[in-house]
Amino acid sequence: MNTLKKLTFHKTFTWVLILGGIIGLLASGILTVEKLHLAANPDYVPSCSISPVVACSPVIGSDQASAFGFPNPFLGLAGFAMVWAVGMMLLAGGVIKKRWFWLCFQAGSLFGMFFVAWLINAALYDIGKLCIYCMIVWTVTIPIFWTTLSYNLREQYIVLKGTLGTLLKDHPGKLVALTYLLVVVLILTRFSDYFYSLI
């Protein structure tokens, strides 16, 4: 039974990386193109500007959109390409037993998670607008992080004992769902006046 659970999780983890990498790459690519169009023409209206709340121009043109001095989507293009490549390697039957590799991969996913959390805060409380493609990036980064952590705990590349260790190792799906729920609640709370106006 434990072997079956391990194989099932391994397959799930593999597809989370593959699909998350592909979707993240597409979203980052579209954001890059939209950023270039906006840089060339300040009057350009991005394809994701569809309402008073969901309006990409203020987000793409904000200081937070170039947190490190260059457009954030460049990070996404590099990071999600790496995620996709690792997923494809696992799908092909590849095995990496080097602990340093998985610790680096974990560090990358942790950076992505913290960066997304910062961007969510900026979008909601500083910029006051939502960007569809940015939210797609949020949506795939969250399961990539939690399943990577679970994988590393299962393979004992990271050792964390006790109740917390068991929770993080055995329940990545629940942690993904709770994180999604938190983000949805924050969005609904922040833009409650707008959503009430639609009713």
Side-chain angles (χ1 to χ4, degrees):
M1 186 65 177
N2 288 335
T3 301
L4 180 60
K5 284 184 177 179
K6 185 174 182 179
L7 289 173
T8 300
F9 173 78
H10 190 276
K11 185 176 181 180
T12 300
F13 177 55
T14 297
W15 282 106
V16 165
L17 296 186
I18 292 172
L19 295 177
I22 291 172
I23 295 169
L25 268 173
L26 289 173
S28 297
I30 293 171
L31 279 168
T32 299
V33 172
E34 296 284 25
K35 178 75 173 180
L36 293 174
H37 281 310
L38 198 58
N41 178 14
D43 296 324
Y44 174 74
V45 179
S47 59
C48 49
S49 294
I50 58 176
S51 77
V53 168
V54 182
C56 292
S57 294
V59 178
I60 296 174
S62 68
D63 292 338
Q64 292 89 338
S66 300
F68 299 98
F70 55 85
N72 294 342
F74 290 178
L75 288 173
L77 291 172
F80 287 118
M82 174 68 174
V83 169
W84 174 76
V86 172
M88 291 300 292
M89 178 273 298
L90 294 175
L91 183 65
V95 178
I96 299 176
K97 290 293 185 180
K98 297 295 185 180
R99 183 170 181 262
W100 65 262
F101 175 87
W102 288 109
L103 290 181
C104 288
F105 195 74
Q106 185 67 65
S109 70
L110 179 63
F111 169 79
M113 190 70 166
F114 274 118
F115 195 45
V116 160
W118 180 74
L119 291 172
I120 291 172
N121 180 77
L124 295 181
Y125 305 110
D126 295 329
I127 305 168
K129 302 290 182 182
L130 295 173
C131 164
I132 291 177
Y133 302 124
C134 302
M135 290 190 289
I136 291 174
V137 169
W138 306 348
T139 302
V140 295
T141 300
I142 290 167
I144 289 170
F145 168 74
W146 286 121
T147 55
T148 298
L149 181 58
S150 177
Y151 178 84
N152 279 324
L153 288 167
R154 289 166 191 257
E155 297 296 324
Q156 296 189 324
Y157 296 124
I158 296 175
V159 178
L160 185 60
K161 297 181 179 180
T163 304
L164 180 60
T166 301
L167 172 67
L168 297 176
K169 180 181 71 173
D170 295 338
H171 303 286
K174 292 179 181 178
L175 293 168
V176 170
L178 285 172
T179 308
Y180 282 160
L181 179 61
L182 175 61
V183 174
V184 169
V185 168
L186 289 174
I187 291 173
L188 292 176
T189 302
R190 172 63 179 85
F191 301 110
S192 58
D193 291 343
Y194 172 73
F195 291 117
Y196 279 130
S197 71
L198 298 178
I199 300 175

